[in-house]
């Protein structure tokens, strides 16, 4: 691991995708002709592989208008990387709460529970890079305590004021 908790492989992925994502001046124009998928994270626009990197995939998650994302984890060795392109909020990876704002990067290791809490006033829009590429069957929702995947349901309830 590097000092910031990222493996050299994940840092290399970030070094490629971060400039691409930062160059997106109008994410809504970028997804204009993409049919969104309804998910527990709001509408998700799968952009596939605009850089031709077959070991990764890119999507835009539009979390404006939702109170929180559905807690979940990824199997199949998928690491998920968030790069915030608009808005702000918080994200929870395992039990660690991180503040998010435009430009923030957050890495979620495989098999680790995570979810986001958009700022109600601003919302949150994320570029989501998965390596290996996202597969729906590897996305597992969580609704109860799950120590094996570092999920604390009581923490979720407290953060979402339930």
């Amino acid at each position: 691991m590097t000092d910031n908790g990222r493996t050299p492989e994940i840092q290399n992925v970030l070094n490629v995708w971060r400039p691409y994502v930062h160059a997106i001046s109008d994410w809504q124009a970028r997804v204009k002709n993409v049919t969104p998928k309804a998910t527990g994270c709001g509408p998700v626009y799968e952009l596939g592989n605009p850089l031709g990197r077959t070991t990764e995939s890119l999507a835009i998650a539009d979390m404006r208008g939702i109170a929180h994302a559905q807690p979940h984890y990824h199997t199949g060795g998928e690491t998920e990387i968030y790069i915030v392109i608009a808005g702000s909020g918080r994200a929870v990876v395992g039990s660690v709460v991180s503040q998010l704002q435009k430009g923030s990067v957050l890495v979620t290791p495989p098999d680790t529970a995570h979810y986001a809490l958009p700022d109600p006033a601003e919302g949150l829009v994320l570029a989501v890079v998965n390596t290996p590429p996202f597969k729906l069957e590897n996305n597992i929702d969580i609704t109860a305590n799950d120590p094996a995947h570092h999920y604390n349901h009581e923490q979720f309830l407290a953060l979402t004021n339930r």
Side-chain angles (χ1 to χ4, degrees):
M1 290 285 204
T2 61
D3 289 337
N4 59 8
R6 299 179 187 145
T7 65
E9 294 82 8
I10 295 303
Q11 191 60 52
N12 287 337
V13 170
L14 273 168
N15 290 343
V16 171
W17 284 103
R18 193 179 316 184
Y20 178 84
V21 169
H22 288 313
I24 297 174
S25 59
D26 184 353
W27 70 268
Q28 291 171 313
R30 185 66 53 101
V31 302
K32 182 179 176 184
N33 295 317
V34 178
T35 301
K37 294 190 174 174
T39 73
C41 299
V44 173
Y45 300 85
E46 292 182 333
L47 301 179
N49 242 309
L51 297 180
R53 295 175 58 90
T54 59
T55 59
E56 298 136 20
S57 62
L58 175 68
I60 304 291
D62 180 2
M63 301 179 74
R64 298 171 305 156
I66 68 167
H68 59 80
Q70 171 64 44
H72 64 284
Y73 64 94
H74 301 274
T75 63
E78 287 180 30
T79 296
E80 188 163 78
I81 303 165
Y82 294 161
I83 304 170
V84 180
I85 57 178
S88 64
R90 296 175 290 168
V92 180
V93 176
S95 61
V96 177
V97 180
S98 298
Q99 294 294 331
L100 300 176
Q101 60 189 13
K102 186 174 180 176
S104 295
V105 173
L106 187 69
V107 177
T108 301
D111 295 307
T112 304
H114 57 285
Y115 54 95
L117 304 149
D119 179 289
E122 293 184 51
L124 184 63
V125 181
L126 306 171
V128 183
V129 177
N130 283 78
T131 181
F134 178 80
K135 290 184 180 177
L136 182 59
E137 62 268 21
N138 293 345
N139 192 81
I140 311 298
D141 289 345
I142 305 174
T143 58
N145 281 334
D146 185 344
H149 298 100
H150 314 285
Y151 177 67
N152 180 327
H153 192 62
E154 288 76 25
Q155 179 187 33
F156 172 77
L157 294 174
L159 290 171
T160 58
N161 299 313
R162 292 181 166 188

